[in-house]
Amino acid sequence: RFVGSLGTIVIKCKDLRIIQLDIPGMEECLNIASSIEVLSTLDSVTLMYPFFYRPMFELVEDGWRSFLPDKEFELLSSVTDEWRLSCINRDFSVCPSYPPVVIVPKCINDEELRKVALFRHGSRFPVLSYYHRKNGMIMMRSSQPLTGTNGRRCKEDEKLINATLWPGKRGYIIDTRSLNVAQQARAKGGGFEQEVHYPQWRRIHRGIERFNILQESLIKLVEACNDQSHNMDRWLSKLEASNWLTHVKEILTTACLAAQCIDREGASVLVHGTEGTDSTLQVTSLAQIILDPRCRTIRGFESLVVREWLQAGHPFQQRCAQSAYSNSKQKWEAPVFLLFLDCVWQILRQFPCSFEFNEQFLIMLFEHAYASQFGTFLGNNENERAKLKLPQKTMSLWSWVNGTEELSRFQNPIYEANSLVIWPAVAPQSLQLWAGVFLRWNRPSKYLDEAQEEMVKIINYNKELQAKVKVLRRHLAELEADERMRQN
Amino acid sequence: MEHIRMPKVENVRLLDRLSSRKAVLGTLYLTATHVIFVENGSETRKETWVLHSQISSIEKQATTATGCPLLIRCKNFQVIQLVIPQERDCHDVYISLIRLARPVKYEELYCFSFNPKLDKEEREQGWKLVDLAEEYNRMGVPNNYWQICDVNRDYGVCDSYPTEVYVPKSATAHIIVGSSKFRSRRRFPALSYYCKGNNASICRSSQPLSGFSARCLEDEQMLQAIRKANPGSDFIYVVDTRPKLNAMANRAAGKGYENEDNYSNIKFQFIGIENIHVMRNSLQKMLEVCELKSPSMSDFLWGLENSGWLKHIKAIMDAGIFIAKAVAEEGVSVLVHCSDGWDRTAQVCSVASLLLDPYYRTMKGFMVLIEKDWVSFGHKFNHRYGNLDGDPKEISPVIDQFIECVWQLMEQFPCAFEFNERFLIHIQHHIYSCQFGNFLCNSQKERQELKIQERTYSLWAQLWKNRADYLNPLHRSDCSQTQGTLHPQIAPCNFLYKFWSGMYNRFEKGLHPRQSVTDYLMAVKEETQQLEEELEVLGERLANLQKSQLGDNKVKSKQQDRSKQLGLSTSNNSLANTPQEYGNDLKSFLSRSPSQGDEEDSALILTQDNLKSSDPDLSANSDQESGVEDLSCRSPSGGGCLPSEDSGKDSDEAVFLAG
């Protein structure tokens, strides 16, 4: 983010922009550089911009209250009564990274939940992530079970998981780690569900990468995109070496698999990796975008981000601290959320008419996850957010986005609600580098913007004409009715 | 017909390349012009038609328990995998196709039997659609500096040039003939593009026969004349599009490149574009990558890089950008050549013209451009695209590369072109199909001798007739992209060059975006037009009614239900609604899953038919779909099919892809 040299300051931003300032005067330059350095690496969250930001827009709706779990549950209970809201985590004592209320099977009481929590990594017991209205199949998420090397079991855990299956039905457990990694996890007390103890469930292992591997991948990719050489071979080999698109492909494929189990197999699914805060959320949220048309609307997508990322305890503050240009190795830094947005963009590119939002909306979320005047992405989980009193002290991103003025910027002009499941292609030929993020500052956007404008113009003109025709038709009908009356 | 050993084979399986599980049983027919596969059963009886001239290679693979596999690769990048039950039948089909795919006489080609049921007059009109004489006038020649030379009237000087060639006014017949003797295959410098605004021009020729020291006074005068035809500039660029090493090697054979010392006021420049052999191998390698079965991202990117294809595309584009810049910004004329001046020279001149002149970015202008820089100047279509059986070393995707350059530009300048991707794909298709006479033979002279215009039809007329299908809805005549020169980014911009799956994986529908912005916007625009018309009618009616207080009360409601109008997104959903193979993990479990019984994989990947009956959402949708007559016949994204092009016979891909 900061490299100072003789009279020149190079600012490398988290949104991947690089700004070079030439400042006359060595001393001024150094002063400015050190100020920027200090200000960009504040220790305390409470000194950050969201705590000082005063909005200049009119507040229509408080974003902090836009997506409450109760409302979500109300929707659910209108179609099924097999689930209940549990307030077991009201004071974050059972699971620190879970929200105060979670949705669990009705037949499991809070006492049993406490026992299950002890059997799961970070106490993240299985909770409902998605209910597929079409066939009543469900998707749950959790963390890994703590089976350890001697194959520990937990009766309550088995009961909970089986309780979600209808009689005679089977389910899939999608473990986002390769079998190898999952087996190694046993040595550290973790592990996976033994089929003997969960006979109605079949495990599928997928190899989604984690943490530093993803971060290195991002750094390499951004480096490749900023490469000034003219050599085509080097570009492609660097793109390949970054492995970024490999991650995109793997995550998307796993999400498709989960969706396929639910929609095509008519089977319920449990997704977990190790902690259940990263790859797990990528899979569960992407599967919902594939399956549920509601998640492809602006509000629905916001709600998805709130449910499956913020409330589900994705540690944004740890993961989105420095972005691609950081010199220091941050142990917890990883572009997990950016990869998720990239995958959404890939689906959006393949189904350009099925999303209410556009690419700009996704880019905006990327920017705000890393640096924002809003408090939404601060903290690592609901517990921390509550302690920081974010809803009282900061503004919610959603309050701003959902203001009518901003909203129009993020709307997709060619959106036509599509009630179906959308199956993206995941072949290498079908996936592309997300130029809107990674080449944003290196390519001219004028011509693409013109195209966007033209698209909006075409649609608006069409709408305008429709309105006019409607008015004229009505007018004509009235006149004709008059005419007929007079003739009679 | 005598070459067909086996006109019909039954119980042949057509494999799906993306998923080996999806195979359909049917009957294979060999006709004089096509290979036809007709699916068994199902009320639709889907058909797959492939023209013999599209066949690029046929491979007979080792016989397996299920039969003898036959792999047919097509020049339009379709790959067809058949399994024929009997080895002997397979062999007969194989032998027949080998012969049918490699005709020895022009008369065997499809265009001589193809009959779109147009009368003579219509056919003649069709050939007149693109008129080069008119085009040169549009450019602004003849004028004070340029004139038509008649030395090549009977192809007396250069048999691969057209009869009418523009040269500088100060170049006498003596100079032209003298210069032609000093150039490979006598391809002397001639005008390709003239820039009215500043008198700068692009000329083209073949390499000079300079060897190590030879000179030719007339050739030097010829270049001098080109410079003089642009009074605003005191030098010209001579661009040799070969890598320097290749050009130097040519000197040993008595050919080579211009020595700056011998020519007054030239600036000589190499722009390294590789030769046809390198390009052929590069495409081959890239297609191997495209054919990989479920490749990893690394396999794909590594293979793409290794093929060098995008590097070559960029080299061609860079050369075109250099020339366009010289002409537009420096006002300097350019002479372009490679070895013979009919491959790389054609690529580079046409890319430069396209960048310089918005006219070539219109549908009509693009036809004119291909006619000018490729057809008239003797690009060897027959040799390069293997229309007749010939030397396989002559085959090379030269014009394919040009077409891809245009696509890459379309991606960077979405509003600049009047036509869409489908237009490019269909032109590529017909360069190989030999269904129309435009691209037959190696030169104008040969075409005249064959009386092509009297015996075949013109592709341009066909495309023009269906131009509504080829429009780019985003084309706007008022923005920077449609005015004047296009300025693609030159500096590090490798990342702007992308793999064109719409072309090279054209027939793998599953790989493409499931909804097309282009098609959607085209439908909206069509509706807009109907609305405009209705508005006018309503307005008139209203005025009449108000005026005379009299009117008939039958309002003809023209407008259709909007959801039907814009049914494209929904009509595509049937495709969208089939998951791909995301992993094999599900398979084994399924077979022992009690609830699923003994059904095999078909339960996992449901066919569309199953879907319709089992899914209420979907069946509702397909009803809607059938309501959209005018739109559903339009091909979905990517231009997989050839809409309304002689709908009777050549319905090949359309049908193949419909599932």
Side-chain angles (χ1 to χ4, degrees):
Chain A
R1 231 189 164 200
F2 29 79
V3 174
S5 69
L6 288 171
T8 302
I9 298 178
V10 179
I11 305 175
K12 297 187 171 180
C13 307
K14 291 176 184 174
D15 63 2
L16 311 181
R17 192 205 316 226
I18 298 182
I19 299 169
Q20 182 172 329
L21 300 170
D22 288 328
I23 295 170
M26 190 55 181
E27 201 173 323
E28 283 96 326
C29 182
L30 286 174
N31 284 338
I32 292 171
S34 59
S35 306
I36 294 176
E37 194 154 346
V38 171
L39 289 171
S40 63
T41 51
L42 295 171
D43 287 333
S44 166
V45 178
T46 51
L47 291 176
M48 287 177 140
Y49 190 31
F51 287 91
F52 306 99
Y53 173 73
R54 289 294 160 260
M56 302 291 285
F57 57 88
E58 196 193 346
L59 195 63
V60 186
E61 150 188 20
D62 182 6
W64 289 112
R65 305 192 52 78
S66 296
F67 306 101
L68 296 175
D70 320 23
K71 280 190 207 153
E72 200 54 44
F73 184 71
E74 248 171 61
L75 280 175
L76 178 70
S77 39
S78 67
V79 284
T80 172
D81 60 351
E82 290 164 19
W83 300 83
R84 67 181 181 95
L85 267 186
S86 167
C87 300
I88 185 176
N89 202 36
R90 186 175 295 132
D91 48 3
F92 305 104
S93 58
V94 174
C95 173
S97 63
Y98 267 176
V101 280
V102 288
I103 303 175
V104 294
K106 210 170 202 172
C107 56
I108 302 293
N109 63 37
D110 282 359
E111 218 30 63
E112 288 166 319
L113 276 183
R114 262 179 242 281
K115 285 188 183 144
V116 177
L118 292 176
F119 184 63
R120 292 272 167 180
H121 188 120
S123 307
R124 293 174 66 90
F125 52 88
V127 295
L128 182 76
S129 162
Y130 172 68
Y131 179 88
H132 196 46
R133 282 159 182 253
K134 200 168 104 186
N135 58 9
M137 293 302 121
I138 53 103
M139 179 162 59
M140 287 184 297
R141 54 177 157 76
S142 70
S143 59
Q144 65 177 347
L146 302 173
T147 55
T149 38
N150 48 11
R152 222 156 58 90
R153 321 179 36 176
C154 170
K155 283 257 154 53
E156 290 76 10
D157 191 76
E158 288 160 23
K159 179 180 172 197
L160 189 161
I161 291 176
N162 276 331
T164 61
L165 290 183
W166 291 349
K169 280 281 196 175
R170 285 173 173 269
Y172 289 93
I173 296 174
I174 296 183
D175 192 325
T176 61
R177 307 161 294 177
S178 66
L179 180 61
N180 217 350
V181 173
Q183 276 167 344
Q184 282 163 10
R186 284 194 298 200
K188 290 183 199 155
F192 50 85
E193 295 81 358
Q194 295 287 342
E195 277 182 34
V196 213
H197 305 141
Y198 302 84
Q200 281 164 283
W201 293 80
R202 158 86 197 273
R203 251 181 18 252
I204 299 174
H205 289 276
R206 304 288 310 189
I208 299 181
E209 295 292 351
R210 336 174 43 224
F211 300 134
N212 58 328
I213 292 177
L214 300 182
Q215 181 64 12
E216 270 167 35
S217 175
L218 174 66
I219 291 172
K220 277 190 197 158
L221 174 69
V222 172
E223 232 174 65
C225 293
N226 290 335
D227 183 9
Q228 300 290 310
S229 82
H230 290 251
N231 192 330
M232 177 67 76
D233 288 351
R234 276 189 44 204
W235 157 245
L236 284 173
S237 63
K238 280 184 158 183
L239 179 64
E240 191 263 313
S242 80
N243 269 328
W244 182 265
L245 287 169
T246 304
H247 303 317
V248 170
K249 184 174 187 298
E250 184 61 32
I251 295 165
L252 212 47
T253 308
T254 309
C256 289
L257 200 64
Q260 198 178 353
C261 290
I262 294 169
D263 188 65
R264 290 303 157 103
E265 292 281 281
S268 289
V269 169
L270 166 67
V271 184
H272 71 72
T274 305
E275 291 92 347
T277 53
D278 296 286
S279 56
T280 304
L281 306 182
Q282 287 172 331
V283 173
T284 55
S285 52
L286 284 168
Q288 292 181 53
I289 286 169
I290 293 166
L291 293 169
D292 186 357
R294 202 166 55 107
C295 294
R296 299 171 219 143
T297 64
I298 290 182
R299 267 208 114 74
F301 190 78
E302 289 169 358
S303 158
L304 181 77
V305 169
V306 171
R307 262 184 296 130
E308 291 297 302
W309 291 87
L310 292 162
Q311 292 172 355
H314 175 66
F316 276 97
Q317 199 163 310
Q318 288 178 348
R319 299 287 184 267
C320 307
Q322 295 291 323
S323 180
Y325 294 124
S326 79
N327 312 333
S328 54
K329 275 232 166 107
Q330 301 273 331
K331 196 180 168 197
W332 303 114
E333 175 94 28
V336 177
F337 187 62
L338 176 57
L339 270 166
F340 158 70
L341 293 176
D342 195 328
C343 292
V344 177
W345 177 78
Q346 305 283 354
I347 307 178
L348 170 65
R349 204 186 68 81
Q350 295 185 25
F351 295 88
C353 308
S354 299
F355 287 81
E356 195 192 1
F357 50 86
N358 58 18
E359 181 180 3
Q360 290 311 314
F361 184 68
L362 298 174
I363 296 174
M364 179 274 295
L365 287 176
F366 155 62
E367 288 177 339
H368 283 279
Y370 278 87
S372 174
Q373 65 269 43
F374 303 104
T376 300
F377 290 106
L378 289 182
N380 290 310
N381 48 49
E382 291 297 272
N383 188 4
E384 289 186 22
R385 279 175 210 118
K387 279 184 193 149
L388 288 167
K389 295 198 168 61
L390 291 179
Q392 292 82 35
K393 291 186 171 171
T394 70
M395 202 28 104
S396 162
L397 172 66
W398 314 124
S399 312
W400 172 71
V401 172
N402 292 335
T404 42
E405 212 172 295
E406 292 308 320
L407 211 55
S408 62
R409 265 179 53 213
F410 301 128
Q411 269 161 352
N412 176 9
I414 57 173
Y415 172 61
E416 289 268 308
N418 170 0
S419 61
L420 300 170
V421 176
I422 52 177
W423 299 106
V426 295
Q429 291 97 317
S430 315
L431 303 177
Q432 280 189 8
L433 177 69
W434 190 6
V437 163
F438 299 108
L439 304 175
R440 183 175 173 196
W441 312 105
N442 317 348
R443 64 160 186 185
S445 64
K446 185 180 158 202
Y447 306 116
L448 304 178
D449 293 346
E450 279 176 352
Q452 200 60 37
E453 267 169 38
E454 184 64 20
M455 205 185 290
V456 173
K457 222 168 79 186
I458 291 171
I459 301 292
N460 285 346
Y461 181 55
N462 179 282
K463 282 186 183 152
E464 201 182 294
L465 284 186
Q466 280 194 348
K468 271 191 198 162
V469 165
K470 224 177 181 176
V471 170
L472 275 190
R473 267 197 206 148
R474 198 186 311 136
H475 197 155
L476 197 66
E478 279 167 12
L479 277 182
E480 278 170 347
D482 285 355
E483 188 68 29
R484 239 170 287 141
M485 287 216 331
R486 207 172 319 150
Q487 277 171 1
N488 291 345
Chain B
M1 291 304 273
E2 70 274 19
H3 309 303
I4 301 173
R5 291 178 168 211
M6 193 76 203
K8 179 180 172 188
V9 189
E10 286 179 336
N11 291 321
V12 174
R13 282 188 305 141
L14 177 71
L15 301 186
D16 186 303
R17 254 184 61 197
L18 280 182
S19 141
S20 48
R21 297 176 200 166
K22 281 189 264 179
V24 285
L25 204 62
T27 307
L28 185 74
Y29 298 91
L30 298 191
T31 73
T33 52
H34 289 81
V35 184
I36 307 163
F37 178 84
V38 183
E39 264 178 46
N40 285 352
S42 78
E43 66 283 8
T44 49
R45 290 176 75 82
K46 284 179 199 153
E47 297 176 6
T48 306
W49 291 56
V50 175
L51 264 170
H52 295 325
S53 47
Q54 284 289 5
I55 296 176
S56 138
S57 76
I58 312 145
E59 207 179 293
K60 211 176 103 200
Q61 296 166 328
T63 312
T64 65
T66 49
C68 189
L70 193 67
L71 191 67
I72 304 175
R73 290 196 179 82
C74 299
K75 295 167 180 174
N76 58 3
F77 310 114
Q78 183 169 18
V79 179
I80 294 176
Q81 252 177 306
L82 299 169
V83 179
I84 298 174
Q86 295 296 321
E87 207 276 334
R88 222 191 47 226
D89 292 345
C90 183
H91 185 73
D92 283 347
V93 170
Y94 174 72
I95 296 292
S96 311
L97 281 181
I98 284 212
R99 175 59 187 83
L100 291 167
R102 288 171 203 162
V104 290
K105 291 198 312 276
Y106 281 119
E107 280 73 10
E108 291 178 44
L109 293 174
Y110 184 40
C111 58
F112 291 101
S113 57
F114 170 65
N115 183 0
K117 301 192 182 67
L118 295 175
D119 58 36
K120 185 164 168 269
E121 201 176 317
E122 283 173 299
R123 188 183 62 211
E124 281 167 6
Q125 272 328 103
W127 281 109
K128 280 184 194 145
L129 185 69
V130 170
D131 180 353
L132 284 186
E134 203 176 276
E135 166 57 12
Y136 284 105
N137 292 338
R138 187 197 66 86
M139 278 188 219
V141 291
N143 61 10
N144 284 336
Y145 306 109
W146 296 90
Q147 63 182 17
I148 294 186
C149 82
D150 51 8
V151 295
N152 206 37
R153 193 180 299 131
D154 310 313
Y155 302 104
V157 175
C158 173
D159 61 0
S160 62
Y161 263 18
T163 46
E164 296 193 343
V165 185
Y166 277 85
V167 293
K169 231 175 188 170
S170 59
T172 61
H174 172 73
I175 292 177
I176 297 167
V177 173
S179 166
S180 78
K181 286 179 179 155
F182 189 63
R183 296 267 165 187
S184 275
R185 303 185 191 264
R186 301 195 150 206
R187 291 169 68 90
F188 56 88
L191 184 74
S192 163
Y193 180 71
Y194 172 75
C195 181
K196 227 187 301 187
N198 59 7
N199 293 323
S201 63
I202 303 174
C203 294
R204 56 185 290 172
S205 70
S206 59
Q207 64 185 338
L209 304 175
S210 55
F212 290 100
S213 59
R215 295 183 59 167
C216 169
L217 182 64
E218 290 86 357
D219 194 59
E220 288 161 27
Q221 286 172 331
M222 185 75 193
L223 266 62
Q224 184 82 334
I226 293 173
R227 185 186 63 73
K228 280 190 198 144
N230 179 8
S233 157
D234 49 15
F235 71 95
I236 65 168
Y237 282 110
V238 175
V239 172
D240 189 328
T241 56
R242 298 169 292 183
K244 190 172 180 185
L245 220 65
N246 300 19
M248 281 167 69
N250 262 303
R251 288 203 299 194
K255 301 165 188 173
Y257 52 93
E258 292 82 355
N259 182 340
E260 275 190 9
D261 301 336
N262 297 341
Y263 293 82
S264 51
N265 306 319
I266 67 163
K267 281 193 182 166
F268 187 83
Q269 182 89 33
F270 281 114
I271 296 182
I273 301 174
E274 298 292 347
N275 64 28
I276 56 168
H277 311 296
V278 174
M279 300 306 192
R280 180 179 56 245
N281 292 335
S282 174
L283 177 66
Q284 182 56 40
K285 280 188 187 163
M286 185 174 73
L287 292 180
E288 279 165 21
V289 176
C290 297
E291 264 190 62
L292 288 177
K293 277 220 170 90
S294 55
S296 73
M297 204 73 208
S298 291
D299 293 339
F300 177 73
L301 288 175
W302 189 86
L304 188 60
E305 184 206 324
N306 194 42
S307 76
W309 182 258
L310 288 176
K311 184 176 71 182
H312 299 314
I313 296 293
K314 182 168 184 284
I316 295 163
M317 198 84 105
D318 283 345
I321 294 170
F322 174 86
I323 293 164
K325 231 177 125 189
V327 170
E329 288 171 26
E330 300 177 54
V332 177
S333 295
V334 185
L335 171 66
V336 187
H337 69 71
C338 45
S339 295
D340 291 317
W342 52 39
D343 293 318
R344 287 169 271 198
T345 301
Q347 290 176 326
V348 167
C349 286
S350 48
V351 168
S353 298
L354 196 73
L355 292 172
L356 283 166
D357 196 332
Y359 175 65
Y360 297 125
R361 289 171 235 143
T362 64
M363 215 176 283
K364 185 82 173 291
F366 191 70
M367 300 174 184
V368 168
L369 182 66
I370 290 184
E371 201 65 35
K372 167 173 81 84
D373 280 330
W374 296 81
V375 177
S376 85
F377 272 105
H379 176 64
K380 300 200 294 175
F381 281 94
N382 175 35
H383 284 167
R384 294 294 173 260
Y385 312 119
N387 297 342
L388 294 188
D389 192 24
D391 182 1
K393 285 211 164 63
E394 282 279 328
I395 293 175
S396 186
V398 183
I399 202 165
D400 303 65
Q401 288 184 314
F402 165 64
I403 291 174
E404 175 165 343
C405 284
V406 181
W407 178 79
Q408 300 280 0
L409 283 171
M410 274 162 66
E411 288 286 291
Q412 290 181 46
F413 301 93
C415 306
F417 292 85
E418 191 195 20
F419 47 86
N420 58 27
E421 184 187 23
R422 195 177 302 150
F423 186 62
L424 295 179
I425 289 174
H426 286 185
I427 289 175
Q428 193 272 352
H429 177 91
H430 285 298
I431 282 166
Y432 291 92
S433 77
C434 300
Q435 184 175 341
F436 298 93
N438 304 60
F439 310 117
L440 243 48
C441 307
N442 291 319
S443 68
Q444 197 88 307
K445 188 177 170 223
E446 282 183 47
R447 274 188 292 275
Q448 241 162 41
E449 285 165 0
L450 262 181
K451 298 197 168 42
I452 291 292
Q453 299 209 354
E454 290 156 45
R455 300 166 70 192
T456 72
Y457 294 86
S458 168
L459 168 66
W460 305 134
Q462 179 77 18
L463 293 177
W464 188 249
K465 202 176 85 196
N466 299 318
R467 59 187 175 279
D469 289 325
Y470 301 121
L471 282 174
N472 169 16
L474 290 173
H475 180 69
R476 41 194 272 195
S477 42
D478 61 328
C479 79
S480 59
Q481 301 172 44
T482 28
Q483 312 288 310
T485 312
L486 283 186
H487 297 282
Q489 215 185 4
I490 325 169
C493 60
N494 303 314
F495 47 71
L496 292 178
Y497 292 87
K498 291 185 283 193
F499 172 72
W500 188 8
S501 65
M503 176 63 95
Y504 304 106
N505 283 117
R506 178 180 160 196
F507 291 89
E508 268 81 35
K509 269 290 169 226
L511 298 178
H512 301 281
R514 308 310 171 81
Q515 294 174 325
S516 154
V517 177
T518 303
D519 287 346
Y520 183 87
L521 289 176
M522 272 162 86
V524 171
K525 275 194 146 175
E526 201 178 299
E527 191 201 40
T528 302
Q529 209 182 341
Q530 286 176 2
L531 285 172
E532 272 171 346
E533 282 163 19
E534 192 188 349
L535 211 54
E536 207 173 300
V537 172
L538 285 176
E540 255 170 48
R541 209 174 279 272
L542 209 57
N544 285 342
L545 205 63
Q546 280 166 335
K547 225 193 282 168
S548 63
Q549 294 289 322
L550 254 167
D552 65 25
N553 44 12
K554 278 186 219 151
V555 182
K556 203 171 74 183
S557 172
K558 261 183 125 181
Q559 206 206 354
Q560 294 161 23
D561 182 2
R562 179 178 164 84
S563 66
K564 279 189 181 177
Q565 262 298 318
L566 301 180
L568 261 164
S569 53
T570 40
S571 72
N572 273 347
N573 278 328
S574 48
L575 230 174
N577 234 294
T578 325
Q580 312 208 319
E581 288 182 24
Y582 296 116
N584 297 320
D585 312 81
L586 294 178
K587 193 180 163 192
S588 48
F589 182 47
L590 203 87
S591 51
R592 54 190 178 96
S593 155
S595 61
Q596 301 286 354
D598 291 323
E599 267 188 81
E600 17 165 342
D601 316 337
S602 56
L604 176 59
I605 312 250
L606 289 168
T607 63
Q608 207 178 315
D609 301 350
N610 287 345
L611 258 173
K612 278 180 185 160
S613 52
S614 68
D615 187 336
D617 270 351
L618 257 172
S619 50
N621 230 292
S622 54
D623 288 340
Q624 238 182 42
E625 204 181 304
S626 54
V628 198
E629 277 176 87
D630 52 337
L631 286 170
S632 54
C633 66
R634 184 171 288 164
S635 66
S637 68
C641 48
L642 302 170
S644 60
E645 283 177 25
D646 100 86
S647 46
K649 255 193 163 179
D650 194 31
S651 55
D652 43 13
E653 301 90 339
V655 181
F656 179 58
L657 292 167

